Amino acid sequence: MPDQKTISQRLYVKGGSGRYYMDARDLVGRRIALVPDGERFATKDPDVAFRMAAKLIADLGTEGESGTETRDHAAEAHAAERKIVHFDEYARRYFSHRVSIEKLASSTAERYNQSLRFFRGFLQKRGLGNIPLAEITTTLINDFLAHRADMPGIRAEEKMSSQTLRNDVYALSGLLEYACEEGVIRDNPARKVRLPRQDGKEATFLEIEEGAALLQAAGWFDLYPSPAGCRFLEPLIGTMLIEGSRWGETAGLLMDDIDLDRGVVRIRDNQFRKLKTRHSRRTIPLWPQYREIIVPHLGARRAADDDCPLLFPSEVTGGLLTDIRGSMKTLAKAAGIKKDVTPHVLRHTYGSVRIQTLDRGEPVALFTVARELGHSGVQLLEERYAHLLTNRRRLPHVEYRFE
């Protein structure tokens, strides 16, 4: 076997990759990537590289099958090297596939894209830049999570929530899993990442009397609207509060989605928006209090000569409403509610109140409530929604009225 000096002279690191190659031009007329068995790319370990180089030199110095097999292995390693796929181009292709083929909802697509952008920024900060997918390791993803955890949350005084960190891992894992399916990488390192524990905080929700006060305030605002204000706040708020729909689902509802004959509200895809997940497509009982609110609004919409099928069109653009947070803050203040009332709080409230209702005289099943909220199972409901209201009234249906 050749001495260590001879082997060391043949070893070199290619570029800034940190991967070891052997100069075998005098033996086989080319350089050889030192790729360990079971791996796709050259090793970064100098000891492994030395041992592999010593074995290759010994094999190449003999005639017969061993030399042929080594040459074939080197050829395969070079072929693998030519197929290296980097993060930037693959992320663009992956994201395009998910949007065009899987028809992601715009909000979900933006969240995935944002998570991938944060990861790319982390790579840039680390000096790694547009690295090959195969160089993304579990350790690197853990470092990324630690980096994200130190960033401020939505409010400057808060840290990034555990759910946001989990979403970042889900987005990256989806890309790497897709790369595995295409044979670009051998395994998905994100599978081994230990996800941050969920914070376990209960969702903010309204008491029944607070919901009643909010609807009452919305009704008064509809009777005496401000020049720049929304003119159908009561049915809009009522849809989220009494029917439990998400904000995006509510803004994209069509008039035909309200089926008065069957007594249901249909949540489905349409030309204005896509749903969040496949489980989001559902029907929700059209509760009596909501019928009282929506029938007059539905009549007014159908009488309007605007050729717009939306149930709640923007009075400015004639298309989708985009934001009512300002109106909700004003409503909450007028109703004397000190909580931060958002569309998601209204949805949480529906889940809380619905859990307290009866179904054919018996407590409603959690799975029924989960399906009405567009969830695939009851786990999230048990973790975030299944809290008891201070006012524990068992009602036959969801409603918000003063005692």
Side-chain angles (χ1 to χ4, degrees):
M1 178 178 172
D3 60 34
Q4 182 172 345
K5 181 178 179 182
T6 304
I7 297 172
S8 298
Q9 288 174 342
R10 292 180 181 275
L11 290 177
Y12 70 96
V13 176
K14 188 174 180 180
S17 67
R19 300 190 180 280
Y20 279 89
Y21 292 72
M22 184 181 79
D23 186 354
R25 288 176 293 180
D26 59 327
L27 299 174
V28 293
R30 63 178 179 273
R31 297 179 176 89
I32 298 174
L34 299 175
V35 182
D37 290 336
E39 300 291 335
R40 289 175 58 86
F41 302 104
T43 183
K44 291 185 175 182
D45 189 320
D47 294 331
V48 172
F50 183 87
R51 290 194 296 269
M52 289 187 66
K55 185 176 184 305
L56 282 171
I57 291 171
D59 290 341
L60 289 171
T62 63
E63 297 295 332
E65 282 189 9
S66 63
T68 303
E69 290 171 357
T70 302
R71 291 181 180 90
D72 290 342
H73 182 70
E76 290 172 4
H78 280 288
E81 187 182 1
R82 287 195 296 270
K83 296 178 182 177
I84 291 177
V85 178
H86 291 78
F87 181 81
D88 287 358
E89 50 267 32
Y90 196 80
R92 284 192 293 269
R93 184 158 68 85
Y94 165 76
F95 189 71
S96 175
H97 167 82
R98 296 217 62 182
V99 172
S100 60
I101 305 300
E102 298 184 24
K103 305 296 185 183
L104 288 183
S106 58
S107 58
T108 305
E110 175 54 31
R111 177 168 56 78
Y112 270 75
N113 195 22
Q114 186 179 57
S115 293
L116 296 178
R117 288 200 307 269
F118 276 124
F119 182 69
R120 184 61 175 85
F122 165 76
L123 294 177
Q124 194 68 33
K125 188 173 182 178
R126 276 290 188 91
L128 299 173
N130 185 23
I131 65 173
L133 288 184
E135 293 186 16
I136 298 175
T137 63
T138 302
T139 301
L140 185 64
I141 299 173
N142 283 328
D143 290 346
F144 167 62
L145 282 182
H147 167 73
R148 285 282 281 148
D150 288 336
M151 297 176 68
I154 296 176
R155 295 179 177 86
E157 68 275 10
E158 295 180 357
K159 290 291 186 181
M160 198 68 62
S161 73
S162 62
Q163 188 57 53
T164 298
L165 298 177
R166 292 167 73 94
N167 288 341
D168 288 340
V169 177
Y170 296 150
L172 187 57
S173 182
L175 181 148
L176 295 171
E177 196 67 37
Y178 189 63
C180 285
E181 293 171 3
E182 289 197 327
V184 175
I185 55 177
R186 287 185 177 273
D187 54 30
N188 178 2
R191 293 178 191 164
K192 300 175 184 177
V193 171
R194 183 168 295 179
L195 294 173
R197 293 176 62 88
Q198 292 183 319
D199 54 28
K201 292 192 301 184
E202 290 187 345
T204 303
F205 63 98
L206 303 180
E207 298 290 346
I208 288 177
E209 284 75 12
E210 290 175 323
L214 193 70
L215 288 172
Q216 185 183 68
W220 278 104
F221 274 71
D222 287 348
L223 284 174
Y224 305 101
S226 64
C230 177
R231 297 174 184 271
F232 38 72
L233 281 173
E234 187 181 22
L236 184 63
I237 297 297
T239 303
M240 293 179 281
L241 186 61
I242 308 174
E243 299 297 322
S245 57
R246 300 179 176 93
W247 162 244
E249 295 169 347
T250 303
L253 277 175
L254 306 182
M255 289 181 276
D256 290 343
D257 291 330
I258 308 298
D259 191 332
L260 299 177
D261 294 331
R262 288 187 56 203
V264 295
V265 177
R266 295 192 186 91
I267 307 295
R268 52 190 177 179
D269 290 314
N270 59 45
Q271 68 268 36
F272 293 96
R273 54 102 169 96
K274 302 296 181 185
L275 297 181
K276 183 177 181 180
T277 68
R278 61 187 179 88
H279 300 289
S280 298
R281 185 183 177 89
R282 64 198 188 277
T283 58
I284 308 170
L286 199 156
W287 301 107
Q289 186 180 22
Y290 185 65
R291 183 183 287 267
E292 295 172 12
I293 293 171
I294 202 62
V295 166
H297 175 72
L298 195 57
R301 283 293 302 125
R302 286 175 174 163
D305 186 21
D306 57 13
D307 296 324
C308 180
L310 286 167
L311 185 63
F312 302 116
S314 167
E315 295 185 70
V316 177
T317 66
L320 282 174
L321 277 171
T322 57
D323 193 0
I324 60 164
R325 286 175 295 181
S327 295
M328 292 192 70
K329 287 184 181 297
T330 303
L331 276 180
K333 184 176 180 181
I337 300 172
K338 301 190 182 301
K339 298 172 183 176
D340 183 15
V341 180
T342 66
H344 218 56
V345 167
L346 303 186
R347 178 172 160 80
H348 289 162
T349 302
Y350 175 86
S352 300
V353 175
R354 180 65 168 121
I355 288 170
Q356 298 301 304
T357 61
L358 299 172
D359 186 5
R360 298 180 177 86
E362 298 292 331
V364 66
L366 284 183
F367 185 75
T368 299
V369 184
R371 289 301 298 123
E372 291 174 6
L373 287 166
H375 297 167
S376 59
V378 300
Q379 181 180 358
L380 184 58
L381 192 68
E382 290 173 333
E383 291 175 355
R384 304 298 299 273
Y385 292 84
H387 34 55
L388 295 175
L389 298 180
T390 302
N391 186 349
R392 301 177 186 178
R393 288 188 284 177
R394 282 287 184 185
L395 300 173
H397 39 247
V398 176
E399 66 175 18
Y400 305 85
R401 301 187 192 277
F402 297 109
E403 286 193 72

